[in-house]
Amino acid sequence: MDLLLNDSQKMIQQQAREFADKVVKPKAREIDRTEEFPWDTIKQMGPLGYMGMTVPEEWGGPGSDYFSYVLALEQISKACASTGVIMAVHNSVALFPIYKFGTEEQKKDYVIPLAKGEKLGAFAMTEANAGSDASQLTTTAVDEGDHYVMSGSKLFITSGCEADVIVVVARTDPDAGTRGMTAFIIEKGMEGLSYGKVENKMGVRPTATTELIFDSVKVPKENVLGDVGKGFSAALSTLDGGRIGIAAQALGIAQAALDEAVEYAKTREQFGKPIGRFQGVSFMIADMATNVEAARWLVYSAAIKKAQGTPLTKEAAMAKLFASRVAKEVSIDAVQIFGGAGYTDAYIVERLMRDARITEIYEGTSEIQKMVIGKQMLK
């Protein structure tokens, strides 16, 4: 895989690996247990450039290419999937659309502090009755002259109650279908914005997955992101990058599970020899390693296309579909290799298995990815 990486990318990958091993991984088990949002780690990631990796230096980021971002995200996710998805959401679906569609003034006000890690971002589109079918969202934003009034609620929002800046898609024209949706920049502390339930989840437990409630929130016109009525199309274009981010997270989880399984198979002895010397275990590891490597090629290929600016809707969906499936299957196999011990929190494989499951659901379920791929193939 090194043949794909230039010297700068290798350095970024190594630096991210060292940071993940020294800072992120030692805290992962405890924050999973307590569900504590990893603010200490996130604040350390800002000065290192991880919270705005692809943003040019003039706007507060290090100006890295998208492939470098994926390399770093994979390493962070390998150490802690929760920290990884917070990073992914912040970069891919909160910061990116503001940088891409925002005005110069919006970039000054939001992109710079977000890229520096001084503020945290989130993205809010999902609702109780608008999940996979986002066209059914009912949160409204009514034009009242110099401002909009937003009413409704959003569900399952990663970093929802912790984020300083939230990109929210709301309906501005009830009769225009998906062409009647607009994106807005919402700030923490706006009057009428409150937080509902923080979900108690199977995995990625520290991520503060929250309901957002908009009770006649007054949104200034200058907080409209992009063109009025173009919020749905902007969200879809944003999700391509978001899906690669989740694919990178899944790849990190899968690699962590494989590494743990290999080490355990080398040291755990039964019937007088390491269990890795039994064909049943060695064949399982062979399949795990092959699938992880295949997932890596798909994820890296999609990341390179993103870095090159070429169309990648199909490739992003393929990367997420396959990498998330591999993360689930490899983490399950890792627990199996550990046996009864793997089912306890004495080892991290049980956490990896719980964390892996969500990668097949958020940023578009696996079934939605298949719909996207099929549609692209049959154009």
Side-chain angles (χ1 to χ4, degrees), residues 19-28 31 41 45 76 79-80 83:
F19 176 77
D21 288 343
K22 293 177 181 178
V23 178
V24 182
K25 189 174 181 178
K27 302 173 184 177
I31 64 172
T41 301
M45 291 168 65
I76 300 297
C80 175
T83 305

Side-chain angles (χ1 to χ4, degrees), residues 235-309:
L236 292 184
S237 67
T238 296
L239 287 175
D240 281 344
R243 285 166 178 166
I244 300 172
I246 299 306
Q249 180 206 20
L251 177 59
I253 295 170
Q255 185 65 59
L258 174 61
D259 290 350
E260 292 291 327
V262 168
E263 185 60 29
Y264 190 77
K266 289 179 179 179
T267 57
R268 170 65 170 171
E269 292 191 0
Q270 290 288 277
F271 304 102
K273 58 183 178 181
I275 61 173
R277 291 176 60 186
F278 292 97
Q279 189 179 81
V281 174
S282 68
F283 277 20
M284 187 182 297
I285 288 175
D287 285 337
M288 293 162 70
T290 301
N291 284 327
V292 170
E293 196 67 9
R296 177 166 288 109
W297 279 99
L298 269 177
V299 175
Y300 286 10
S301 174
I304 291 170
K305 281 184 175 290
K306 175 74 172 175
Q308 294 172 338

Side-chain angles (χ1 to χ4, degrees), residues 278-357:
F278 292 97
Q279 189 179 81
V281 174
S282 68
F283 277 20
M284 187 182 297
I285 288 175
D287 285 337
M288 293 162 70
T290 301
N291 284 327
V292 170
E293 196 67 9
R296 177 166 288 109
W297 279 99
L298 269 177
V299 175
Y300 286 10
S301 174
I304 291 170
K305 281 184 175 290
K306 175 74 172 175
Q308 294 172 338
T310 56
L312 72 153
T313 297
K314 178 185 69 177
E315 289 78 7
M318 285 180 169
K320 184 184 182 296
L321 173 66
F322 190 73
S324 62
R325 181 194 303 160
V326 168
K328 178 188 70 176
E329 293 175 352
V330 168
S331 61
I332 289 173
D333 286 346
V335 170
Q336 189 70 20
I337 288 171
F338 274 76
Y343 199 66
T344 73
D345 65 359
Y347 296 94
I348 70 170
V349 289
E350 63 87 23
R351 169 167 54 86
L352 295 172
M353 184 177 72
R354 289 187 286 107
D355 288 346
R357 191 64 189 88

Side-chain angles (χ1 to χ4, degrees), residues 8-59:
S8 174
Q9 291 163 344
K10 290 177 182 178
M11 182 182 68
I12 289 171
Q13 183 187 54
Q14 181 60 32
Q15 289 174 340
R17 182 181 295 121
E18 291 174 358
F19 176 77
D21 288 343
K22 293 177 181 178
V23 178
V24 182
K25 189 174 181 178
K27 302 173 184 177
R29 176 176 289 174
E30 181 63 14
I31 64 172
D32 173 71
R33 185 184 67 81
T34 63
E35 299 184 60
E36 178 185 357
F37 194 85
W39 268 120
D40 180 62
T41 301
I42 297 299
K43 289 176 180 177
Q44 293 183 63
M45 291 168 65
L48 295 174
Y50 296 140
M51 302 306 285
M53 287 197 67
T54 62
V55 176
E57 292 183 9
E58 63 182 297
W59 295 109

Side-chain angles (χ1 to χ4, degrees), residues 30 45 50 69 78 87 132 136 142 151 159 184 193 238 330 357 360:
E30 181 63 14
M45 291 168 65
Y50 296 140
Y69 159 62
K78 180 181 174 185
M87 174 183 169
S132 293
Q136 298 303 307
V142 179
S151 301
S159 303
F184 296 86
L193 171 63
T238 296
V330 168
R357 191 64 189 88
E360 290 193 304

